[in-house]
Amino acid sequence: MPDLLELKNVTKTYSRGVLSRTSTTALNDVSLKLAENEPTIMTVAGESGSGKTTLAMLLLGFITPTSGQILYQGQDISRLSGAARVSFRREVQAVFQDPFAVFNPFYTVDHLLTVPIKKFKLAKNKAEARDRMEEALTAVGLRPEDILGRFPHQLSGGQRQRINVARALVLKPKLLVADEPVSMVDASLRANILETLRSLQRNHGVSIIYITHDLTTAYHIAKSIIVLYRGSVMEAGDVDAVIKNPQHPYTRLLIDSIPWPDLSRRWGETEIKARESEGASHGEGCKFAPRCPFAMEQCVTPPPLFQLNKHQATSCYLHATSPQIASEQLSELLPV
Amino acid sequence: MNPVLQVIDLQVSYYTDTGRAIALNGVTLALSAGEKLGLVGESGSGKSTMALAMMRMIKPPGRIEGGQVIVGDTDLTKLSNDDMLKARLSKIAYIPQGAMNSLNPVMRIGDQMADAIRAHDPKADKFAVEDRCVGALESVDLKPSVYKMYAHELSGGMKQRVCIAIGILLKPQVIIADEPTSALDVVTQRQVMETIDRVQKQIGAAVILIGHDMGLMAQFVDKVAVMYAGRLAEMSTVRQMFTTPAHPYAQALISSLPSLDNKGVFQGIPGLAPSLLRLPSGCAFHPRCPHAMDVCTTKRPELETLDDGRRVACHLYPEKA
């Protein structure tokens, strides 16, 4: 049985203009797999410019990879046609960062839910459509009578974001790509939305790719994590192992920079090296080398992945004594 | 030590079609030079209104209905509009939410900074202005070359630091930062907060940091004020707040924080924030409060100072006779 989703050495470069030779590699040789029968939550983490959103756009089929393939149930998503394309569109859903921008202020929120029901012919009549909507809203913890018929400006950010999740749920997806779903809602509502996402995975069998820069929420919701920096995988593995025992200098910097709500755990003393503007011109080697406090001579050649233990691998020469693995094997060590 | 900022009984309402929304209802607080205060609360609790009211930037249908904002020995609420223009940036500066999007895309960074100085000192010498701007840029860890750049040439974190540089140009006594890092990732956030920390020490200003990220508060501020429905619920030192929060709302806020020990436990605060148009009777938090008593539904608790110096508005802590 083919996997639900498979990325084969996917690379995406953006080139600026027709004549310009400068190009930016947004994603560099990423391979991963999600199994169909084992719904999981995988986090893709990294700072701005690390290629997280590019990955989301690729998965949703909005852009095509420069090289490599993305297979959905064994079929290349850029070549889907007809019925296969429609079912891909239905089964792979997205929740975006900004709950304010996705609503059309002229329509009531019902519009957001009825359009997909009509488009994909999910209901035979109006009553059934309404049942579908109410079911989805209840599943995300909203009371349909409070929500239906209201305009977006009458709802809070947390409610709107949950409606977005409900919209995805109406379509009974198999994969949900959540791009920073909680970065714009209040801390007290964050918990509700994360809980909603987790119950989707547990009770509705939806696999979720959770894209974020917030490692605290990632830790709480995900099983596995992939840390990206400038399009390359820095570290990946079991979320407990990576966050409690980070091995790559970049992951350490990220975790050191989390403002923990804990007075005994101060912000790290480790100096933040280099400004974002520098390091823009980097060579072939490790992308993090210009900012890395441990940069060595060999960092000019790109480091392969070194497997540290059963569920953790890092792309750093500091761990050169560990066995090497090919980037295609990365998803084998991610727990589900 | 004399407080550099005193807010006394500040009242702000918004007049909407559906009625009067009381966004700030009698907020009183004081801050000394060099102190850092964190102002936390849910959306709609009045945090941003508080910042705008202190700057006298509330626009209709909103109105400041009473109270005083005293910086040094000037009462900002009594100033004429012209004098208030001068007071902004020189006495009290505001770094708005998403400040990085407030830079003019067709003006060089330096010209925008120079504008701010000229508005206060029209006769300033051109080279002196440039020196001051470059100095401010250096104090936020940006290269002098940024002076000649446009906003699109800078990253989000750099733009946010430019806005901090503009905020400190005239060495204000009070800096209000409204969620200065909410759109930035963790590493950049740390850089920006460290920048604010450093420039604050340089010019000895008092800082009010507005936000809902309690983690950031724990790392950055000295005192925390928790707002709920336009009123202060509790004001304590950061240590008191994180070890023994007193107000039930503050307790719920603290226990909803994620940490590494309780993996997978999501504890939100049940219920929704009240509508400011129809506040519950008595204590506004009582419908969501696990400790609600009869008195909470009828009598509004006043902010009382407890023995350990913290101020709490809750009937659980009886007034001193």
Side-chain angles (χ1 to χ4, degrees), chain A residues 48 186 260 267 270 275-276, chain B residues 43 141 155 185 190-191 219:
Chain A
S48 12
D186 266 12
W260 294 100
W267 247 342
T270 44
R275 302 282 152 256
E276 307 91 66
Chain B
S43 346
D141 225 353
S155 72
D185 57 65
R190 191 173 130 199
Q191 275 176 321
Q219 302 295 339

Side-chain angles (χ1 to χ4, degrees), chain A residues 129-272:
Chain A
R130 178 135 188 130
D131 285 349
R132 278 283 183 120
M133 277 156 59
E134 292 187 351
E135 191 189 328
L137 288 172
T138 317
V140 297
L142 293 169
R143 279 194 299 268
E145 63 271 21
D146 287 358
I147 300 295
L148 294 175
R150 298 247 237 155
F151 283 95
H153 67 263
Q154 295 171 308
L155 302 170
S156 71
Q159 284 174 317
R160 292 188 217 195
Q161 195 63 303
R162 277 189 275 174
I163 293 170
N164 284 326
V165 179
R167 186 201 59 84
L169 189 60
V170 159
L171 299 167
K172 304 237 180 297
K174 291 188 172 151
L175 176 67
L176 189 68
V177 179
D179 189 358
E180 304 262 14
V182 294
S183 70
M184 291 189 61
V185 295
D186 266 12
S188 52
L189 289 167
R190 244 170 235 192
N192 296 335
I193 290 170
L194 292 176
E195 189 60 62
T196 308
L197 288 178
R198 200 166 52 169
S199 85
L200 278 189
Q201 181 248 333
R202 283 200 186 147
N203 307 330
H204 298 261
V206 184
S207 280
I208 297 174
I209 294 189
Y210 178 72
I211 296 176
T212 188
H213 66 250
D214 179 0
L215 291 175
T216 10
T217 55
Y219 172 77
H220 282 269
I221 191 173
K223 297 244 170 56
S224 54
I225 185 167
I226 295 178
V227 180
L228 291 178
Y229 181 73
R230 289 188 190 271
S232 297
V233 176
M234 295 286 118
E235 185 160 2
D238 178 70
V239 76
D240 280 283
V242 173
I243 291 189
K244 286 198 170 149
N245 190 16
Q247 292 302 319
H248 195 285
Y250 177 62
T251 323
R252 280 191 215 153
L253 171 68
L254 271 185
I255 289 169
D256 214 27
S257 299
I258 298 174
W260 294 100
D262 181 355
L263 295 174
S264 53
R265 186 167 177 167
R266 304 308 300 184
W267 247 342
E269 294 299 309
T270 44
E271 190 78 11
I272 300 175

